[in-house]
Amino acid sequence: MIDEELAMKVEEAVRLVAAEEIMPRWRRLAADEVAVKTAPHDLVTVADRRAEERLTEILPRLLPGSVVVGEEAVAADPATYGRLAGDAPVWIVDPVDGTRQFVEGDPGFCTLVGLAHRGVLEGAWTHAPALGLTARARRGAGAFLDGERLVAGVPEPGRPLTVAHAHPHYTSAEQKRVLARLRVDGVAPRECGSAGLEYLRVARGELDAVAFDWESAWDHAAGLLLVLEAGGVHETVAGVPFALAGGNALPFTAARDEPTARRILSLLSGA
């Protein structure tokens, strides 16, 4: 479904939209350009909306017959999420992953695009314009960061496993209780920033695993394929891979290797 030519065209589109719609607004947002969605920490900006609108225009033209599932479109019409279970190829878009960081003027945000077909991830693009990083992956063809192949590798023996987990701003009391099981000897947990950038850190071998407890496909699609194509794994507490369309047993992990994933899931399940 995705050849190198299409992969490059998607990357060019993501870079263009970030340059025209996101970066001119970074550290220049007016008060009326930021809004609260469902909770005080769930923000949306004019940059999120404009970037998603532009990508929704561009991406289906690159792959005729494809559709888009974007974070802001789903916020406006939740039924749009059902496209993930359909037969058409689906572009999964998070225009600004790490909106809180973007609003605060922090460079730790990125644009995420994944392409899936019938639940199978085919392509992934992660672009962090303020950090100057662009990663992409194609199913079966590897993952690359600015042209260099990504290899997740394995954790260093004897060193605590580094794990980024869901931020407490976005977790319930029960979710916090489950994630607290990671606070044991041999594991060094911390709160996550942009999910897309945390997945990239796993694919680069800079972070051993992530532990997340929400299903929004736009946060996970691009990163999951990056990790897989870098040699890593992802799995839920039910012992099966994470499913984009939902219905997963949560939490789940993406890790540099299978033993790390098993260790994290064992802790999260209370085994």
Side-chain angles (χ1 to χ4, degrees):
M1 178 177 294
I2 299 180
D3 57 18
E4 184 64 14
E5 181 181 2
L6 176 56
M8 284 299 300
K9 287 181 179 179
V10 176
E11 181 178 324
E12 290 166 4
V14 172
R15 286 178 177 272
L16 174 67
V17 170
E20 293 183 352
E21 303 294 349
I22 298 173
M23 290 307 290
R25 296 178 168 100
W26 185 46
R27 297 177 174 171
R28 297 181 181 88
L29 286 168
D32 63 356
E33 294 180 321
V34 182
V36 173
K37 291 198 287 187
T38 61
H41 299 290
D42 184 15
L43 305 176
V44 63
T45 74
V46 64
D48 296 76
R49 290 178 171 140
R50 283 295 300 136
E52 183 170 310
E53 288 168 2
R54 290 281 304 281
L55 288 169
T56 300
E57 293 169 1
I58 295 169
L59 294 174
R61 292 203 299 263
L62 297 178
L63 184 63
S66 61
V67 297
V68 177
V69 169
E71 178 176 8
E72 305 316 324
V74 173
D77 180 8
T80 303
Y81 204 79
R83 293 174 178 172
L84 288 169
D87 289 330
V90 186
W91 299 100
I92 305 164
V93 176
D94 190 338
V96 182
D97 181 63
T99 300
R100 178 173 56 86
Q101 288 85 349
F102 179 74
V103 169
E104 293 172 353
D106 188 294
F109 62 90
C110 58
T111 298
L112 301 174
V113 174
L115 178 64
H117 189 213
R118 294 173 180 164
V120 178
L121 283 164
E122 300 285 350
W125 296 262
T126 298
H127 179 51
L131 297 175
L133 299 174
T134 305
R136 60 189 172 97
R138 288 189 293 137
R139 184 169 66 91
F144 296 84
L145 175 64
D146 297 319
E148 294 190 11
R149 191 168 192 121
L150 291 169
V151 179
V154 299
E156 180 183 338
R159 182 178 58 80
L161 294 174
T162 55
V163 184
H165 61 73
H167 196 284
H169 285 337
Y170 309 102
T171 53
S172 66
E174 174 60 18
Q175 289 169 330
K176 288 180 176 68
R177 186 185 68 79
V178 171
L179 292 171
R181 294 170 180 163
L182 296 173
R183 299 191 193 113
V184 297
D185 290 343
V187 180
R190 64 165 174 80
E191 300 166 358
C192 78
S194 152
L197 293 180
E198 302 293 13
Y199 280 115
L200 178 55
R201 291 183 181 103
V202 175
R204 297 179 79 175
E206 299 174 349
L207 180 70
D208 295 322
V210 293
F212 293 146
D213 50 18
W214 76 95
E215 293 188 295
S216 305
W218 47 80
D219 286 324
H220 306 305
L224 289 172
L225 188 60
L226 272 184
V227 171
L228 286 175
E229 289 297 323
V233 300
H234 63 84
E235 196 170 309
T236 72
V237 288
V240 297
F242 181 86
L244 288 176
N248 294 282
L250 298 173
F252 73 98
T253 188
R256 294 173 68 186
D257 64 355
E258 183 65 35
T260 301
R262 286 199 300 267
R263 171 66 170 147
I264 300 304
L265 291 173
S266 175
L267 290 170
L268 293 172
S269 64

